[in-house]
Amino acid sequence: MATCLPNMLRRHVLRRYPMSLGIEWPFICSHRLSTRNYGSRPGGSHRADERVGRKHDGRKSLSTYEREVEGRREAAHRTVVVQGVDEDQVRRHLQQYGIIESAVQFHHARKSFFMVEYKERTSVADLMVDTGYSFGEFPVRSRVMFLNQHSIKKKRAPQKDITSHEHVLSRLKECVSISDQMDALHQCKRLTQQEKHLRFFIASAIEEALSGMLPHCQIKPFGSCINGFGWTDCDLDFTCNIFPPDTQLGRTDMKFISAKQQYARLSEDQRSRRVLESLSQTLRSYVPLCSEFQNILKARVPIVRFRHGLAGVRCDLSYHDSITHKLSELMFVYGCYNPDLYPLMSVVKQWARDKLITRPMPGRYATNFILLAMVVFYMQTQELLPTVGAMQVMADSNSEFLNGGESFYFVRDMDSLPKPTDTRTLEELLHGFFSFYTKFNFRRRRISLVTGTSFDKTSDSAMQIENPLDITLNVSRSMAPTEVIKLQSEMLNALRTMDTHSRSSSSEDWGIMCLFSKEDSAQSAAVHTSSILDSRQKQTHDILKTDGDFQTSASFLR
């Protein structure tokens, strides 16, 4: 069974879990696929049990996740965004250049925009030929335009923000059960198709701006904007790959002269930092609507952070890394396999935000990915999701991908996974999640998504969660001991709250509403923070004083 495992991962698994490759994976045959309808799924399906498989015809075909990404990238390249107020005038002007597939109006910073997708790319090219430049501005071509409208008669009608904290709470109060509340929260918070399209459009516009100098440049989104766990206010994470295909790199008869050959003498880390620094300066100087740049180049994963003015989205640009995209695909597959993962994660995410367990800025706090890994691990222990090890055993050669010269596998064809059969409600899953981790010994045990079990820790970090695609890495390395104590303390409080407010009341908040703050946590993030941290710091000091195993180190404070 171990023959399909990648060499490096198999070596680590055999060393750390010598019995894991000899066992059968019986629970993967007893799962269910929820019949709940959570709206549009990441794969474009409106039915929870719809699967899109891959054809094994002897050649490497695209997985469901890859078809999703490439389809959105293609649609983004056929899209333009036009600032204007009069919808009829905008439509009449744009229809001159080709057939319009879709047109959606949205508003940002008191301005009205239309996101228009053409049927053909040639229509976009023809439109840009006829588009002029504003006098006095730097002459940059961009698919973000504005239409001169001398007589504006229409006035924008006020729109109701269905994602506001007050609207979400009022909708939750109308539900009849905690499970229905969890469904409703996910529906309110999840990214709409329009918002996904806009994020892919931003990535394609940046790729187009860089393509003149870097013709092979590819800007690919990953993370929450594509794997199904993104919210309306989520960041846009994407990677940049500037190198041509291997087929062109291998030609030896004739090559381009490069005036910057010193890049070839740099290490991979040095090269990625130098490339990101150059891209940051280019975007800052020449690409419209990009502002508030921050180069974070000394982190383990260097990024360039900036804000895109079209939707007020914060963007994180990193150098090309296949692991990040494959982690997104892994979570995408898990979400499609058991859609109960989406509403459960939505509640945990909102609860963590309101209790200041996660923060908008990076630091020694928990992140959404850490929480997602914890939710996945809990569902693995409940036999609701297959382990990564089981998915690797069932993978075929078409599932192979490379990272640093090493081969990795996991099953990407959801048709090959047996359907789950468990009948637990979302309320039971949420209660079980909090109960499971209030008892978990983070001081001595580490979490493994590869085997779906916990083992003795191998590092002195406050929490250890193995990266499922590179088990030498700890995805929770940055968490401080005080934050782990706070996490378990808040989980215990959440259990008590659910036990005392589990039934509907006409006049009082109930269910998951009692887990959340009355105000949007983004506006009250600084309230009571110092008192909370002071109390946790005192508890941690007492623990460190009595337990030599739990020593602080620079590794988890970075």
Side-chain angles (χ1 to χ4, degrees), residues 362-405:
R364 57 181 186 170
Y365 317 108
T367 64
N368 288 329
F369 185 78
I370 291 175
L371 296 176
L372 178 56
M374 293 174 64
V375 173
V376 169
F377 178 72
Y378 163 70
M379 295 186 71
Q380 287 177 339
T381 62
Q382 305 303 304
E383 302 183 356
L384 297 171
L385 288 176
T387 66
V388 177
M391 297 173 71
Q392 289 165 340
V393 170
M394 291 185 290
D396 55 29
S397 58
N398 287 333
S399 300
E400 180 184 13
F401 64 95
L402 299 176
N403 181 62

Side-chain angles (χ1 to χ4, degrees), residues 477-497:
R477 185 186 68 172
S478 61
M479 280 197 69
T482 52
E483 294 302 313
V484 178
I485 296 172
K486 175 182 177 180
L487 174 65
Q488 290 190 295
S489 176
E490 292 292 354
M491 285 182 168
L492 184 59
N493 292 335
L495 275 177
R496 295 168 179 166
T497 300

Side-chain angles (χ1 to χ4, degrees), residues 99-140:
I99 301 175
I100 295 176
E101 285 279 312
S102 63
V104 180
Q105 185 179 17
F106 66 96
H107 304 91
H108 176 66
R110 299 183 179 180
K111 296 179 181 178
S112 176
F113 297 90
F114 295 89
M115 184 165 56
V116 180
E117 178 188 345
Y118 281 104
K119 187 176 182 179
E120 303 290 343
R121 282 199 190 194
T122 54
S123 301
V124 177
D126 293 341
L127 172 62
M128 295 187 70
V129 168
D130 287 350
T131 302
Y133 298 93
S134 298
F135 178 77
E137 295 184 0
F138 202 91
V140 175

Side-chain angles (χ1 to χ4, degrees), residues 153-166:
K153 299 179 180 179
K154 291 192 176 183
K155 194 173 183 179
R156 178 165 67 97
Q159 292 186 333
K160 188 176 182 180
D161 183 7
I162 62 172
T163 65
S164 67
H165 207 64
E166 295 77 12

Side-chain angles (χ1 to χ4, degrees), residues 9 20 22 126 190 254 264 352 408 420 449 463 474 493 523 546:
L9 184 57
S20 62
D126 293 341
R190 68 185 178 91
M254 182 174 291
F408 290 83
L449 302 185
M463 179 187 291
N474 176 14
N493 292 335
Q523 300 175 359
T546 58

Side-chain angles (χ1 to χ4, degrees), residues 184-378:
L185 178 68
H186 174 63
Q187 290 288 349
C188 290
K189 292 287 189 176
R190 68 185 178 91
L191 279 174
T192 65
Q193 295 298 322
Q194 170 194 328
E195 289 163 335
K196 290 181 181 180
H197 194 168
L198 182 59
R199 280 163 170 76
F200 271 79
F201 171 80
I202 292 172
S204 70
I206 293 175
E207 177 181 305
E208 187 176 72
L210 297 173
S211 61
M213 181 174 57
L214 301 169
H216 302 284
C217 174
Q218 286 189 329
I219 306 292
K220 287 190 175 182
F222 70 93
S224 58
C225 70
I226 187 62
N227 62 19
F229 297 95
W231 283 3
T232 56
D233 59 350
C234 70
D235 298 340
L236 173 55
D237 300 311
F238 40 51
T239 60
C240 176
N241 184 16
I242 65 172
F243 288 101
D246 294 338
T247 53
Q248 191 166 358
L249 284 173
R251 294 177 181 174
T252 57
D253 51 350
M254 182 174 291
K255 297 183 178 180
F256 295 105
I257 295 177
S258 174
K260 302 294 183 183
Q261 295 182 357
Q262 64 267 26
Y263 277 85
R265 296 190 292 268
L266 299 175
S267 67
E268 186 67 24
D269 290 341
Q270 291 174 327
R271 185 184 304 159
S272 64
R273 288 177 173 83
R274 187 74 65 84
V275 169
L276 287 175
E277 188 175 13
S278 301
L279 291 177
S280 173
Q281 186 60 43
T282 302
L283 295 174
R284 187 195 309 262
S285 301
Y286 305 116
V287 179
L289 303 176
C290 297
S291 61
E292 301 179 23
F293 280 83
Q294 183 181 7
N295 294 351
I296 308 175
L297 303 179
K298 293 185 178 180
R300 189 181 66 83
V301 180
I303 62 171
V304 172
R305 175 167 293 168
F306 59 94
R307 185 169 296 277
H308 198 279
L310 185 59
V313 177
R314 192 179 70 179
C315 305
D316 288 343
L317 175 64
S318 58
Y319 199 57
H320 178 67
D321 182 6
S322 60
I323 285 291
T324 57
H325 289 278
K326 292 304 174 182
L327 276 176
S328 296
E329 182 173 1
L330 177 63
M331 297 305 162
F332 174 89
V333 171
Y334 273 142
C336 293
Y337 176 77
N338 191 341
D340 285 349
L341 183 60
Y342 290 114
L344 178 57
M345 180 59 193
S346 292
V347 176
V348 173
K349 187 175 177 180
Q350 182 66 54
W351 163 81
R353 176 184 291 190
D354 283 9
K355 300 304 179 184
L356 304 179
I357 294 170
T358 57
R359 306 294 180 92
M361 299 302 294
R364 57 181 186 170
Y365 317 108
T367 64
N368 288 329
F369 185 78
I370 291 175
L371 296 176
L372 178 56
M374 293 174 64
V375 173
V376 169
F377 178 72
Y378 163 70

